[in-house]
Amino acid sequence: MAFENVLLERDGAVAILTVNRPKVLNALNAPTLDELRRAALELRHDDGVRAVILTGAGEKSFIAGADINELAVQTPTTGREHALHGQHVFDLFENLGKPVIAAINGYALGGGCELAMACTLRMAADTARLGQPEINLGIIPGYAGTQRLARLVGKGKAMELILTGVQIEAAEALRIGLVNRVVPAASLMAEARKLAATLAANAPVAMRYIISAINKGLEMPFAEACIFEATLFGLVASTDDMREGTRAFLEKRKADFKGR
Ligand code: CO8
């Protein structure tokens, strides 16, 4: 598939998706968002891809937010539609059915922080800076930042970050649980590839169900979420990978999971 604003590479079972507008710090304009949507659909349906890394081109920025040129001319109706469309695209990444690692190589602001939060895991360079600076533009997050940030770091911290619009450093993002890991900037991609390769060797159906159980389960009452988990647990028992994983343990060898 041809893209202009994103790069999509494969390295075995790992796909690397790079937002590629470094001159504007990888800001998300409408065409870029649409390419992310198309790339997400392609990656979801490609069984050869078992883990994805999402990053930004250049050394300075992951994604510096929605493109402010477009925000400056939005109307009430287009603003609502664009927010809903972006939320839909980010949902695709959250529910891709395989792990997506945000490799945060610099600024992750506004829509950039929101997209990172829609990823399954977040690994940040020690030089990265994260935040929801929308308040400084007289607007609010529109790509589900108010919701995902509150779920990730708790209501109090989310209120503080979104109301002040402050940028925080990677170490602080790690401390409050906004990112999973912080690594030296120079080794970010190597570390992200290592983690992606580890995940890509895991049983694909079980990974898909784990992501679904956590994402969907958190939105359900606890008792219903436990029933949902039990149902997925039962389903996973139908897979060849379950038989392979348990047999490999008993035979003291490494499992070879096929995603069936
Ligand atoms: N949109 C468009 N252009 C941008 C953006 C952006 N978000 N961020 C940076 N750029 C451009 C700059 O205008 C500049 O362009 P030029 O070279 O033509 O002047 C170029 O990128 C380089 O940026 P700077 O010169 O500003 O670089 P600095 O190192 O001085 O500063 C910062 C880096 C701090 C990241 C600074 O660029 C900045 O503050 N950027 C804006 C960050 C921001 O406010 N992001 C949030 C945007 S709002 C949002 O994301 C809402 C999401 C929900 C929308 C839902 C409905 C659509």
Side-chain angles (χ1 to χ4, degrees), residues 206 209-218 220-237:
Y209 290 171
I210 289 165
I211 292 167
S212 183
I214 293 179
N215 284 346
K216 304 272 184 261
L218 275 177
M220 295 177 188
F222 186 80
E224 276 176 35
C226 288
I227 293 170
F228 181 52
E229 182 193 81
T231 303
L232 294 175
F233 185 85
L235 268 181
V236 92

PDB file of all heavy atoms in Angstrom, residues 206 209-218 220-237:
ATOM      1  N   ALA A 206      -3.571 -15.972  22.240  1.00  0.00           N
ATOM      2  CA  ALA A 206      -3.591 -15.611  23.668  1.00  0.00           C
ATOM      3  C   ALA A 206      -3.307 -14.118  23.837  1.00  0.00           C
ATOM      4  O   ALA A 206      -3.963 -13.445  24.649  1.00  0.00           O
ATOM      5  CB  ALA A 206      -2.565 -16.442  24.425  1.00  0.00           C
ATOM      6  N   TYR A 209      -6.409 -12.161  23.017  1.00  0.00           N
ATOM      7  CA  TYR A 209      -7.430 -12.248  24.067  1.00  0.00           C
ATOM      8  C   TYR A 209      -7.029 -11.453  25.309  1.00  0.00           C
ATOM      9  O   TYR A 209      -7.888 -10.894  25.995  1.00  0.00           O
ATOM     10  CB  TYR A 209      -7.689 -13.710  24.430  1.00  0.00           C
ATOM     11  CG  TYR A 209      -8.408 -14.496  23.351  1.00  0.00           C
ATOM     12  CD1 TYR A 209      -8.560 -15.872  23.453  1.00  0.00           C
ATOM     13  CD2 TYR A 209      -8.951 -13.862  22.234  1.00  0.00           C
ATOM     14  CE1 TYR A 209      -9.230 -16.604  22.476  1.00  0.00           C
ATOM     15  CE2 TYR A 209      -9.608 -14.591  21.242  1.00  0.00           C
ATOM     16  CZ  TYR A 209      -9.733 -15.952  21.367  1.00  0.00           C
ATOM     17  OH  TYR A 209     -10.388 -16.673  20.402  1.00  0.00           O
ATOM     18  N   ILE A 210      -5.735 -11.423  25.609  1.00  0.00           N
ATOM     19  CA  ILE A 210      -5.285 -10.620  26.768  1.00  0.00           C
ATOM     20  C   ILE A 210      -5.605  -9.146  26.525  1.00  0.00           C
ATOM     21  O   ILE A 210      -6.162  -8.453  27.382  1.00  0.00           O
ATOM     22  CB  ILE A 210      -3.770 -10.812  27.007  1.00  0.00           C
ATOM     23  CG1 ILE A 210      -3.490 -12.223  27.550  1.00  0.00           C
ATOM     24  CG2 ILE A 210      -3.232  -9.748  27.970  1.00  0.00           C
ATOM     25  CD1 ILE A 210      -2.027 -12.634  27.485  1.00  0.00           C
ATOM     26  N   ILE A 211      -5.268  -8.675  25.323  1.00  0.00           N
ATOM     27  CA  ILE A 211      -5.525  -7.261  24.996  1.00  0.00           C
ATOM     28  C   ILE A 211      -7.021  -6.972  25.082  1.00  0.00           C
ATOM     29  O   ILE A 211      -7.458  -5.964  25.648  1.00  0.00           O
ATOM     30  CB  ILE A 211      -4.952  -6.928  23.594  1.00  0.00           C
ATOM     31  CG1 ILE A 211      -3.415  -6.990  23.637  1.00  0.00           C
ATOM     32  CG2 ILE A 211      -5.426  -5.568  23.107  1.00  0.00           C
ATOM     33  CD1 ILE A 211      -2.747  -6.983  22.265  1.00  0.00           C
ATOM     34  N   SER A 212      -7.811  -7.901  24.548  1.00  0.00           N
ATOM     35  CA  SER A 212      -9.258  -7.711  24.575  1.00  0.00           C
ATOM     36  C   SER A 212      -9.804  -7.774  26.004  1.00  0.00           C
ATOM     37  O   SER A 212     -10.635  -6.952  26.402  1.00  0.00           O
ATOM     38  CB  SER A 212      -9.893  -8.807  23.700  1.00  0.00           C
ATOM     39  OG  SER A 212     -11.255  -8.639  23.633  1.00  0.00           O
ATOM     40  N   ALA A 213      -9.313  -8.737  26.790  1.00  0.00           N
ATOM     41  CA  ALA A 213      -9.814  -8.889  28.166  1.00  0.00           C
ATOM     42  C   ALA A 213      -9.526  -7.627  28.976  1.00  0.00           C
ATOM     43  O   ALA A 213     -10.380  -7.164  29.747  1.00  0.00           O
ATOM     44  CB  ALA A 213      -9.173 -10.106  28.825  1.00  0.00           C
ATOM     45  N   ILE A 214      -8.342  -7.056  28.795  1.00  0.00           N
ATOM     46  CA  ILE A 214      -8.001  -5.860  29.581  1.00  0.00           C
ATOM     47  C   ILE A 214      -8.741  -4.635  29.033  1.00  0.00           C
ATOM     48  O   ILE A 214      -9.379  -3.886  29.780  1.00  0.00           O
ATOM     49  CB  ILE A 214      -6.472  -5.642  29.614  1.00  0.00           C
ATOM     50  CG1 ILE A 214      -5.821  -6.785  30.420  1.00  0.00           C
ATOM     51  CG2 ILE A 214      -6.136  -4.290  30.238  1.00  0.00           C
ATOM     52  CD1 ILE A 214      -4.299  -6.720  30.509  1.00  0.00           C
ATOM     53  N   ASN A 215      -8.698  -4.432  27.722  1.00  0.00           N
ATOM     54  CA  ASN A 215      -9.349  -3.241  27.155  1.00  0.00           C
ATOM     55  C   ASN A 215     -10.852  -3.248  27.371  1.00  0.00           C
ATOM     56  O   ASN A 215     -11.434  -2.273  27.836  1.00  0.00           O
ATOM     57  CB  ASN A 215      -9.075  -3.139  25.650  1.00  0.00           C
ATOM     58  CG  ASN A 215      -7.672  -2.643  25.355  1.00  0.00           C
ATOM     59  OD1 ASN A 215      -6.985  -2.130  26.232  1.00  0.00           O
ATOM     60  ND2 ASN A 215      -7.236  -2.800  24.126  1.00  0.00           N
ATOM     61  N   LYS A 216     -11.488  -4.333  27.012  1.00  0.00           N
ATOM     62  CA  LYS A 216     -12.957  -4.381  27.119  1.00  0.00           C
ATOM     63  C   LYS A 216     -13.373  -4.585  28.581  1.00  0.00           C
ATOM     64  O   LYS A 216     -14.353  -4.003  29.047  1.00  0.00           O
ATOM     65  CB  LYS A 216     -13.529  -5.519  26.269  1.00  0.00           C
ATOM     66  CG  LYS A 216     -13.134  -5.469  24.799  1.00  0.00           C
ATOM     67  CD  LYS A 216     -14.094  -4.636  23.986  1.00  0.00           C
ATOM     68  CE  LYS A 216     -13.773  -4.670  22.516  1.00  0.00           C
ATOM     69  NZ  LYS A 216     -13.011  -3.488  22.081  1.00  0.00           N
ATOM     70  N   GLY A 217     -12.616  -5.439  29.275  1.00  0.00           N
ATOM     71  CA  GLY A 217     -12.978  -5.757  30.658  1.00  0.00           C
ATOM     72  C   GLY A 217     -12.973  -4.537  31.564  1.00  0.00           C
ATOM     73  O   GLY A 217     -13.815  -4.406  32.452  1.00  0.00           O
ATOM     74  N   LEU A 218     -12.021  -3.610  31.318  1.00  0.00           N
ATOM     75  CA  LEU A 218     -11.957  -2.420  32.174  1.00  0.00           C
ATOM     76  C   LEU A 218     -13.194  -1.536  32.031  1.00  0.00           C
ATOM     77  O   LEU A 218     -13.459  -0.702  32.888  1.00  0.00           O
ATOM     78  CB  LEU A 218     -10.701  -1.609  31.842  1.00  0.00           C
ATOM     79  CG  LEU A 218      -9.423  -2.037  32.553  1.00  0.00           C
ATOM     80  CD1 LEU A 218      -8.245  -1.206  32.087  1.00  0.00           C
ATOM     81  CD2 LEU A 218      -9.578  -1.925  34.066  1.00  0.00           C
ATOM     82  N   MET A 220     -16.227  -2.802  31.756  1.00  0.00           N
ATOM     83  CA  MET A 220     -17.394  -3.583  32.216  1.00  0.00           C
ATOM     84  C   MET A 220     -17.434  -3.599  33.735  1.00  0.00           C
ATOM     85  O   MET A 220     -16.402  -3.404  34.384  1.00  0.00           O
ATOM     86  CB  MET A 220     -17.251  -5.051  31.787  1.00  0.00           C
ATOM     87  CG  MET A 220     -17.274  -5.315  30.322  1.00  0.00           C
ATOM     88  SD  MET A 220     -16.997  -7.118  30.107  1.00  0.00           S
ATOM     89  CE  MET A 220     -16.826  -7.199  28.353  1.00  0.00           C
ATOM     90  N   PRO A 221     -18.606  -3.913  34.304  1.00  0.00           N
ATOM     91  CA  PRO A 221     -18.626  -4.200  35.737  1.00  0.00           C
ATOM     92  C   PRO A 221     -17.687  -5.387  36.012  1.00  0.00           C
ATOM     93  O   PRO A 221     -17.546  -6.285  35.164  1.00  0.00           O
ATOM     94  CB  PRO A 221     -20.085  -4.580  36.007  1.00  0.00           C
ATOM     95  CG  PRO A 221     -20.863  -3.998  34.872  1.00  0.00           C
ATOM     96  CD  PRO A 221     -19.933  -4.010  33.687  1.00  0.00           C
ATOM     97  N   PHE A 222     -17.058  -5.411  37.206  1.00  0.00           N
ATOM     98  CA  PHE A 222     -16.026  -6.400  37.523  1.00  0.00           C
ATOM     99  C   PHE A 222     -16.519  -7.834  37.299  1.00  0.00           C
ATOM    100  O   PHE A 222     -15.817  -8.646  36.675  1.00  0.00           O
ATOM    101  CB  PHE A 222     -15.585  -6.209  38.986  1.00  0.00           C
ATOM    102  CG  PHE A 222     -14.432  -7.080  39.383  1.00  0.00           C
ATOM    103  CD1 PHE A 222     -13.132  -6.735  39.046  1.00  0.00           C
ATOM    104  CD2 PHE A 222     -14.650  -8.252  40.094  1.00  0.00           C
ATOM    105  CE1 PHE A 222     -12.059  -7.534  39.408  1.00  0.00           C
ATOM    106  CE2 PHE A 222     -13.589  -9.065  40.460  1.00  0.00           C
ATOM    107  CZ  PHE A 222     -12.289  -8.712  40.120  1.00  0.00           C
ATOM    108  N   ALA A 223     -17.722  -8.149  37.776  1.00  0.00           N
ATOM    109  CA  ALA A 223     -18.207  -9.538  37.690  1.00  0.00           C
ATOM    110  C   ALA A 223     -18.383  -9.953  36.226  1.00  0.00           C
ATOM    111  O   ALA A 223     -18.037 -11.076  35.838  1.00  0.00           O
ATOM    112  CB  ALA A 223     -19.515  -9.692  38.457  1.00  0.00           C
ATOM    113  N   GLU A 224     -18.898  -9.022  35.412  1.00  0.00           N
ATOM    114  CA  GLU A 224     -19.070  -9.341  33.982  1.00  0.00           C
ATOM    115  C   GLU A 224     -17.721  -9.495  33.295  1.00  0.00           C
ATOM    116  O   GLU A 224     -17.536 -10.361  32.427  1.00  0.00           O
ATOM    117  CB  GLU A 224     -19.850  -8.229  33.278  1.00  0.00           C
ATOM    118  CG  GLU A 224     -21.347  -8.369  33.418  1.00  0.00           C
ATOM    119  CD  GLU A 224     -22.059  -7.191  32.772  1.00  0.00           C
ATOM    120  OE1 GLU A 224     -21.597  -6.667  31.738  1.00  0.00           O
ATOM    121  OE2 GLU A 224     -23.090  -6.790  33.330  1.00  0.00           O
ATOM    122  N   ALA A 225     -16.770  -8.649  33.694  1.00  0.00           N
ATOM    123  CA  ALA A 225     -15.430  -8.722  33.096  1.00  0.00           C
ATOM    124  C   ALA A 225     -14.783 -10.063  33.432  1.00  0.00           C
ATOM    125  O   ALA A 225     -14.067 -10.635  32.606  1.00  0.00           O
ATOM    126  CB  ALA A 225     -14.568  -7.563  33.595  1.00  0.00           C
ATOM    127  N   CYS A 226     -15.045 -10.574  34.631  1.00  0.00           N
ATOM    128  CA  CYS A 226     -14.472 -11.876  35.010  1.00  0.00           C
ATOM    129  C   CYS A 226     -15.104 -12.990  34.179  1.00  0.00           C
ATOM    130  O   CYS A 226     -14.408 -13.926  33.762  1.00  0.00           O
ATOM    131  CB  CYS A 226     -14.661 -12.129  36.501  1.00  0.00           C
ATOM    132  SG  CYS A 226     -13.592 -11.069  37.493  1.00  0.00           S
ATOM    133  N   ILE A 227     -16.393 -12.878  33.904  1.00  0.00           N
ATOM    134  CA  ILE A 227     -17.042 -13.883  33.053  1.00  0.00           C
ATOM    135  C   ILE A 227     -16.456 -13.796  31.639  1.00  0.00           C
ATOM    136  O   ILE A 227     -16.180 -14.813  30.993  1.00  0.00           O
ATOM    137  CB  ILE A 227     -18.573 -13.684  33.041  1.00  0.00           C
ATOM    138  CG1 ILE A 227     -19.136 -13.989  34.435  1.00  0.00           C
ATOM    139  CG2 ILE A 227     -19.247 -14.582  31.996  1.00  0.00           C
ATOM    140  CD1 ILE A 227     -20.590 -13.602  34.622  1.00  0.00           C
ATOM    141  N   PHE A 228     -16.262 -12.558  31.152  1.00  0.00           N
ATOM    142  CA  PHE A 228     -15.659 -12.358  29.825  1.00  0.00           C
ATOM    143  C   PHE A 228     -14.272 -13.010  29.775  1.00  0.00           C
ATOM    144  O   PHE A 228     -13.939 -13.735  28.831  1.00  0.00           O
ATOM    145  CB  PHE A 228     -15.577 -10.854  29.535  1.00  0.00           C
ATOM    146  CG  PHE A 228     -15.008 -10.495  28.192  1.00  0.00           C
ATOM    147  CD1 PHE A 228     -15.506 -11.055  27.020  1.00  0.00           C
ATOM    148  CD2 PHE A 228     -13.972  -9.565  28.084  1.00  0.00           C
ATOM    149  CE1 PHE A 228     -14.978 -10.718  25.775  1.00  0.00           C
ATOM    150  CE2 PHE A 228     -13.443  -9.214  26.854  1.00  0.00           C
ATOM    151  CZ  PHE A 228     -13.948  -9.800  25.697  1.00  0.00           C
ATOM    152  N   GLU A 229     -13.486 -12.780  30.841  1.00  0.00           N
ATOM    153  CA  GLU A 229     -12.147 -13.388  30.907  1.00  0.00           C
ATOM    154  C   GLU A 229     -12.248 -14.913  30.868  1.00  0.00           C
ATOM    155  O   GLU A 229     -11.499 -15.589  30.144  1.00  0.00           O
ATOM    156  CB  GLU A 229     -11.427 -12.939  32.185  1.00  0.00           C
ATOM    157  CG  GLU A 229     -10.021 -13.495  32.295  1.00  0.00           C
ATOM    158  CD  GLU A 229      -9.426 -13.307  33.684  1.00  0.00           C
ATOM    159  OE1 GLU A 229      -9.738 -14.124  34.583  1.00  0.00           O
ATOM    160  OE2 GLU A 229      -8.652 -12.359  33.873  1.00  0.00           O
ATOM    161  N   ALA A 230     -13.180 -15.455  31.640  1.00  0.00           N
ATOM    162  CA  ALA A 230     -13.324 -16.917  31.695  1.00  0.00           C
ATOM    163  C   ALA A 230     -13.715 -17.475  30.324  1.00  0.00           C
ATOM    164  O   ALA A 230     -13.256 -18.549  29.919  1.00  0.00           O
ATOM    165  CB  ALA A 230     -14.351 -17.300  32.751  1.00  0.00           C
ATOM    166  N   THR A 231     -14.563 -16.741  29.608  1.00  0.00           N
ATOM    167  CA  THR A 231     -14.981 -17.190  28.279  1.00  0.00           C
ATOM    168  C   THR A 231     -13.777 -17.203  27.323  1.00  0.00           C
ATOM    169  O   THR A 231     -13.574 -18.166  26.567  1.00  0.00           O
ATOM    170  CB  THR A 231     -16.081 -16.258  27.725  1.00  0.00           C
ATOM    171  OG1 THR A 231     -17.155 -16.261  28.662  1.00  0.00           O
ATOM    172  CG2 THR A 231     -16.588 -16.718  26.373  1.00  0.00           C
ATOM    173  N   LEU A 232     -12.963 -16.139  27.374  1.00  0.00           N
ATOM    174  CA  LEU A 232     -11.766 -16.104  26.527  1.00  0.00           C
ATOM    175  C   LEU A 232     -10.793 -17.206  26.940  1.00  0.00           C
ATOM    176  O   LEU A 232     -10.135 -17.821  26.096  1.00  0.00           O
ATOM    177  CB  LEU A 232     -11.087 -14.730  26.618  1.00  0.00           C
ATOM    178  CG  LEU A 232     -11.887 -13.558  26.036  1.00  0.00           C
ATOM    179  CD1 LEU A 232     -11.165 -12.230  26.293  1.00  0.00           C
ATOM    180  CD2 LEU A 232     -12.106 -13.735  24.534  1.00  0.00           C
ATOM    181  N   PHE A 233     -10.720 -17.449  28.271  1.00  0.00           N
ATOM    182  CA  PHE A 233      -9.854 -18.528  28.755  1.00  0.00           C
ATOM    183  C   PHE A 233     -10.304 -19.861  28.163  1.00  0.00           C
ATOM    184  O   PHE A 233      -9.499 -20.673  27.707  1.00  0.00           O
ATOM    185  CB  PHE A 233      -9.893 -18.586  30.290  1.00  0.00           C
ATOM    186  CG  PHE A 233      -8.933 -19.590  30.864  1.00  0.00           C
ATOM    187  CD1 PHE A 233      -7.613 -19.248  31.080  1.00  0.00           C
ATOM    188  CD2 PHE A 233      -9.343 -20.882  31.166  1.00  0.00           C
ATOM    189  CE1 PHE A 233      -6.713 -20.174  31.573  1.00  0.00           C
ATOM    190  CE2 PHE A 233      -8.453 -21.812  31.660  1.00  0.00           C
ATOM    191  CZ  PHE A 233      -7.134 -21.458  31.869  1.00  0.00           C
ATOM    192  N   GLY A 234     -11.625 -20.062  28.136  1.00  0.00           N
ATOM    193  CA  GLY A 234     -12.152 -21.291  27.549  1.00  0.00           C
ATOM    194  C   GLY A 234     -11.841 -21.377  26.064  1.00  0.00           C
ATOM    195  O   GLY A 234     -11.428 -22.417  25.552  1.00  0.00           O
ATOM    196  N   LEU A 235     -11.998 -20.230  25.378  1.00  0.00           N
ATOM    197  CA  LEU A 235     -11.733 -20.213  23.925  1.00  0.00           C
ATOM    198  C   LEU A 235     -10.279 -20.538  23.609  1.00  0.00           C
ATOM    199  O   LEU A 235      -9.985 -21.275  22.664  1.00  0.00           O
ATOM    200  CB  LEU A 235     -12.040 -18.822  23.362  1.00  0.00           C
ATOM    201  CG  LEU A 235     -13.435 -18.557  22.829  1.00  0.00           C
ATOM    202  CD1 LEU A 235     -13.504 -17.125  22.301  1.00  0.00           C
ATOM    203  CD2 LEU A 235     -13.781 -19.547  21.715  1.00  0.00           C
ATOM    204  N   VAL A 236      -9.377 -19.997  24.401  1.00  0.00           N
ATOM    205  CA  VAL A 236      -7.953 -20.192  24.122  1.00  0.00           C
ATOM    206  C   VAL A 236      -7.574 -21.671  24.302  1.00  0.00           C
ATOM    207  O   VAL A 236      -6.613 -22.168  23.697  1.00  0.00           O
ATOM    208  CB  VAL A 236      -7.097 -19.226  24.984  1.00  0.00           C
ATOM    209  CG1 VAL A 236      -6.652 -19.823  26.299  1.00  0.00           C
ATOM    210  CG2 VAL A 236      -5.902 -18.722  24.204  1.00  0.00           C
ATOM    211  N   ALA A 237      -8.393 -22.378  25.099  1.00  0.00           N
ATOM    212  CA  ALA A 237      -8.140 -23.815  25.304  1.00  0.00           C
ATOM    213  C   ALA A 237      -8.415 -24.633  24.042  1.00  0.00           C
ATOM    214  O   ALA A 237      -8.057 -25.797  23.955  1.00  0.00           O
ATOM    215  CB  ALA A 237      -8.996 -24.331  26.463  1.00  0.00           C
TER     216      ALA A 237
END
